[in-house]
Amino acid sequence: MEYKTIKFQTRGFLGGKLDTKEFELTLNKMGNEGWELISCFDTSQSQGTTRDVLTVFKRKK
């Protein structure tokens, strides 16, 4: 197996806004290349706002 992590930065004055079009395009691209999404989580900035969204993919070599 091989693994790949992709980080998506959020936008907005206080963060927390994810560009869903970019997110979906990347998920579809990775899927077409044989990658399977196995985890997706956010990282906190302060007072519960989201700074980044991390995705982890895997595929057979």
Side-chain angles (χ1 to χ4, degrees):
M1 285 290 164
E2 62 180 323
Y3 296 87
K4 184 176 197 86
T5 302
I6 298 176
K7 177 172 69 171
F8 296 88
Q9 292 184 333
T10 59
R11 296 176 175 85
F13 180 68
L14 297 174
K17 295 186 190 264
L18 183 64
D19 183 342
T20 55
K21 284 186 179 185
E22 174 193 0
F23 187 72
E24 287 179 4
L25 284 171
T26 302
L27 290 179
N28 286 322
K29 176 181 177 264
M30 297 299 290
N32 288 333
E33 294 176 5
W35 293 96
E36 176 185 357
L37 179 67
I38 58 170
S39 183
C40 181
F41 56 93
D42 67 329
T43 59
S44 296
Q45 184 165 283
S46 64
Q47 299 186 24
T49 59
T50 297
R51 177 177 41 199
D52 300 312
V53 174
L54 297 172
T55 57
V56 181
F57 296 86
K58 73 175 183 177
R59 73 176 174 186
K60 290 183 179 178
K61 284 188 173 186

